[in-house]
């Protein structure tokens, strides 16, 4: 490892625009997209802001670590799906769940009662064609000016990336699963 000198001078950039709701996208093949979104949700909740989390691939009865913690904190988190496609017994039913879930999420965004709305794993139903992209983009464009929306999942569409204010691509460098280490409670769920 090469040692660096810590920076002591930096140009101070003073923002000139007004504060407003942001569209944030966490995408890429690396681990941490949902985790980053949940971190923002915790930060907003810690500041007394209303937060709502929708998970497009998790079942409504899911009891993963994030569900247990957000329930304790009083942050609503809702599973909208029936699991990942390879577990589905009926892909048309999975698609309908995504459409129904999107209707609820879109209504929440439009209502403007939440400071932050998380659309976790929404890229899957978009990529599979279960949700058309244009209504999602339209809802994001027409949302109340103070509402922040975070969207997660691999392979974010170019149109969504263009619309977003902040896009972070998580890059896979190394993953324990490829070394034969299985998923673990508290890390993957």
């Amino acid at each position: 490892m090469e040692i660096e000198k810590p920076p002591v001078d930096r140009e101070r950039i003073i923002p000139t625009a007004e504060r407003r709701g942001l569209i944030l996208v966490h995408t890429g093949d690396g681990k941490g997209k949902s985790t980053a979104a949940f971190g923002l949700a915790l930060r907003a909740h810690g500041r007394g802001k209303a937060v709502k989390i929708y998970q497009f691939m998790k079942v409504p009865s899911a009891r993963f670590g994030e569900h247990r913690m957000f329930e304790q904190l009083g942050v609503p988190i809702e599973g909208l799906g029936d699991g990942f496609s390879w577990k589905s017994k009926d892909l048309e039913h999975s698609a309908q769940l995504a459409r129904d879930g999107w209707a609820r999420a879109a209504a929440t965004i439009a209502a403007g009662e939440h400071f932050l709305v998380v659309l976790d794993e929404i890229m899957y139903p978009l990529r599979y064609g279960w949700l058309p992209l244009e209504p999602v983009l339209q809802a994001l464009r027409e949302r109340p000016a103070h509402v922040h929306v975070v969207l997660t999942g691999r392979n974010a569409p170019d149109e969504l990336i263009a619309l977003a204010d902040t896009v972070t691509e998580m890059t896979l460098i190394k993953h324990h699963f490829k070394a034969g280490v299985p998923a673990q409670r508290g890390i993957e769920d």
Side-chain angles (χ1 to χ4, degrees):
M1 179 175 87
E2 188 174 321
I3 304 297
E4 298 179 19
K5 287 180 72 175
V8 293
D9 294 319
R10 94 179 159 134
E11 182 181 342
R12 179 155 162 82
I13 298 171
I14 300 171
T16 57
E18 289 184 44
R19 286 192 165 101
R20 61 177 172 77
L22 302 171
I23 299 169
L24 302 104
V25 173
H26 299 308
T27 193
D29 290 335
K31 191 164 176 44
K33 296 173 289 293
S34 297
T35 304
F38 298 153
L40 287 173
L42 287 170
R43 180 174 283 164
H45 179 72
R47 289 290 191 168
K49 308 290 188 183
V51 175
K52 176 75 181 196
I53 302 168
Y54 291 101
Q55 292 186 296
F56 278 84
M57 301 308 288
K58 300 288 191 299
V59 299
S61 61
R63 298 291 298 147
F64 296 111
E66 65 264 25
H67 299 101
R68 296 164 192 258
M69 193 69 244
F70 283 126
E71 286 171 11
Q72 288 179 29
L73 294 172
V75 174
I77 181 169
E78 187 175 335
L80 302 173
D82 60 355
F84 285 94
S85 58
W86 53 88
K87 293 183 177 181
S88 179
K89 293 178 175 48
D90 180 353
L91 289 177
E92 182 47 45
H93 176 70
S94 299
Q96 187 60 52
L97 288 173
R99 290 187 290 272
D100 294 345
W102 168 246
R104 288 203 302 282
T108 298
I109 292 167
E113 295 172 6
H114 292 83
F115 173 83
L116 178 67
V117 179
V118 175
L119 305 177
D120 187 38
E121 299 172 336
I122 192 171
M123 302 312 167
Y124 289 102
L126 288 172
R127 282 189 4 235
Y128 299 158
W130 297 350
L131 291 179
L133 179 59
E134 189 49 44
V136 174
L137 296 174
Q138 182 177 350
L140 294 172
R141 282 189 214 103
E142 296 175 358
R143 76 193 188 286
H146 65 280
V147 175
H148 303 271
V149 182
V150 182
L151 303 94
T152 73
R154 296 169 189 250
N155 301 317
D158 291 339
E159 299 89 341
L160 178 57
I161 289 171
L163 180 63
D165 298 289
T166 300
V167 178
T168 301
E169 183 173 9
M170 309 292 185
T171 303
L172 178 63
I173 295 172
K174 188 176 186 179
H175 197 292
H176 59 272
F177 190 76
K178 291 190 178 190
V181 179
Q184 300 178 60
R185 293 218 164 156
I187 301 295
E188 277 79 23
D189 74 358

